[in-house]
Amino acid sequence: MQYNPGWNGSSVNLLHVRAAGPADSLHYVWSSIGAPAVLLVATQSPSSALRVNWTQLLSPNPAGAIWIDPPDSVVYSTAVVFTKLFEFRVAKPLGELFYPTYNLSEFSWDSLNHTLNHTALTAELSGVPATDPGGSFSNGSLAFRVTAYEASGRDGRLPSLLHTADSSQLEFVLAGVAPRGNSSRFVLEVATVEEAGAVRRLRSERSIDDEYTPTIFEVLSLVAESQNGSSALGFLQWKATAYGSRSPRREDGIQCRAQGLQAANWSLPVSSIVQAYFGDSLGSSCTISALNVSFGGEEGEVYQEKRYLSWSVLLGFGEPPRDTFSPLVISITAVALGTPLAMLLLGSCLVLLAQRRRYSEYEPIN
């Protein structure tokens, strides 16, 4: 993990996470320059490196300021941008009433270097609006917590997402922010950037197994696929829940919904690492899609009471991880289903044996 590689200042945030394999390497570049974003690049070289031209990156025209060396080692690249936070309330019979939008490219962000933990491979990007006339953020903040992994496993806190060494987890946190209305609900806008030859699709999978995330039976994945659909290139994956506590429990669950993936006909916020890497192709050959993720039930009272919201999402390359039944669940299921079946078979055998053996106290005459 590198903070602002090649730059001594802390007025801006750029975190480079690199995972090296025997024949390839993966790069995650997180930044709050412009809107908060992450750039994901997979290469077929174990020694590929991130290069940054800081003078150009911080200029009004950052195109070409970020690249991977050697350039021909790149096999796939994409970006995810967190652009806006909406707040609204449901008013009958008028419908949904929206408050002024929080544009995340206009936030003021703390130095990420203060939260960087090289041992735990974690960091936190925290910010507040540059101007806050209503004072909603006077005692609160919006944060993105990043966790990288060195091996496969499962996160210890709910929603206990399954991860691999090729993936990273992002936790979106809204803490202490005063809602601007009764029963306010929040919506986070997430944009993705794909180069020519790839397309994003939203998948929803349901399972009867809620062992690791109680009462939650749906997993959503925003998967980047090749045009012919033959392979998955990258993904965002999350459980259909958020939580209203720093130490989440089942009863702290907040309803989470994805409101459909749409092509975005607007431009991304300027001066971001996305423009710096994709350059002029961003407006021509790249495809930009947007997805709204909403938090809150019909009444939205969970956040109103606790003033805390956390949503976890996994980012990575290739196919998203798939949960399977644990040995404990398989054993319990086998006992629960096998015992009645064994009793049924044993009873049937006894009945058949009883029918074949007819006893009588009389001796036959002949």
Side-chain angles (χ1 to χ4, degrees):
M1 301 180 75
Q2 297 174 294
Y3 176 70
N4 289 350
W7 178 261
N8 293 325
S10 59
S11 58
V12 295
N13 290 308
L14 190 147
L15 176 66
H16 175 219
V17 182
R18 179 175 175 268
D24 55 9
S25 56
L26 308 175
H27 299 265
Y28 292 84
V29 185
W30 305 85
S31 178
S32 61
I33 301 174
V38 56
L39 176 68
L40 296 87
V41 183
T43 74
Q44 57 185 2
S45 168
S47 59
S48 61
L50 175 72
R51 306 298 184 196
V52 182
N53 182 331
W54 282 97
T55 302
Q56 188 174 353
L57 178 62
L58 300 178
S59 71
N61 183 22
I66 293 178
W67 70 98
I68 298 295
D69 191 24
D72 58 358
S73 67
V74 176
V75 293
Y76 172 66
S77 55
T78 184
V80 180
V81 188
F82 302 92
T83 53
K84 298 175 183 177
L85 180 69
F86 302 99
E87 181 183 352
F88 70 96
R89 65 183 177 90
V90 178
K92 299 178 180 179
L94 300 177
E96 297 175 347
L97 297 179
F98 281 82
Y99 297 96
T101 303
Y102 292 116
N103 193 330
L104 301 188
S105 65
E106 299 173 358
F107 270 47
S108 175
W109 301 95
D110 296 337
S111 174
L112 186 148
N113 194 36
H114 300 317
T115 64
L116 188 58
N117 188 325
H118 289 275
T119 303
L121 301 179
T122 59
E124 180 175 322
L125 187 64
S126 179
V128 297
T131 58
D132 186 22
S136 296
F137 279 79
S138 58
N139 295 314
S141 65
L142 182 152
F144 294 94
R145 295 174 181 167
V146 178
T147 303
Y149 299 106
E150 292 182 311
S152 299
R154 187 180 298 276
D155 192 66
R157 300 170 68 247
L158 289 177
S160 304
L161 293 175
L162 181 67
H163 63 259
T164 67
D166 297 342
S167 59
S168 295
Q169 180 171 294
L170 178 71
E171 184 181 3
F172 166 71
V173 178
L174 198 63
V177 178
R180 290 174 285 184
N182 293 329
S183 303
S184 284
R185 285 191 266 175
F186 294 93
V187 177
L188 179 65
E189 183 180 72
V190 182
T192 62
V193 179
E194 293 295 334
E195 291 183 306
V199 62
R200 286 275 178 176
R201 290 187 173 89
L202 182 63
R203 299 178 184 174
S204 175
E205 296 184 3
R206 294 184 178 272
S207 170
I208 62 172
D209 183 18
D210 69 338
E211 176 185 5
Y212 301 105
T213 312
T215 73
I216 305 302
F217 301 94
E218 184 181 14
V219 178
L220 295 109
S221 302
L222 187 58
V223 181
E225 300 176 346
S226 54
Q227 288 284 8
N228 57 12
S230 61
S231 61
L233 304 172
F235 65 87
L236 280 77
Q237 185 185 62
W238 65 95
K239 297 285 185 73
T241 185
Y243 291 95
S245 172
R246 297 180 187 274
S247 301
R249 299 169 297 173
R250 179 182 61 83
E251 54 267 29
D252 299 318
I254 298 176
Q255 192 176 62
C256 171
R257 293 178 177 174
Q259 299 181 351
L261 183 66
Q262 297 181 350
N265 55 5
W266 38 263
S267 60
L268 294 173
V270 297
S271 301
S272 72
I273 59 170
V274 178
Q275 275 93 358
Y277 181 81
F278 290 100
D280 296 334
S281 64
L282 191 61
S284 56
S285 59
C286 289
T287 301
I288 303 175
S289 304
L291 174 78
N292 285 341
V293 182
S294 64
F295 311 101
E298 295 300 324
E299 301 299 331
E301 294 178 354
V302 175
Y303 182 82
Q304 191 80 18
E305 295 174 358
K306 301 187 178 181
R307 301 285 177 92
Y308 191 87
L309 168 68
S310 69
W311 173 63
S312 298
V313 57
L314 194 72
L315 303 92
F317 298 88
E319 282 283 353
R322 287 194 173 187
D323 262 323
T324 56
F325 291 104
S326 69
L328 176 62
V329 171
I330 293 174
S331 301
I332 294 174
T333 305
V335 171
L337 298 179
T339 301
L341 182 60
M343 293 178 65
L344 179 62
L345 291 174
L346 180 60
S348 300
C349 292
L350 291 175
V351 170
L352 290 174
L353 287 174
Q355 288 179 348
R356 293 175 63 89
R357 298 180 60 186
R358 297 182 180 275
Y359 294 95
S360 175
E361 59 186 22
Y362 297 99
E363 292 292 331
I365 298 174
N366 295 321

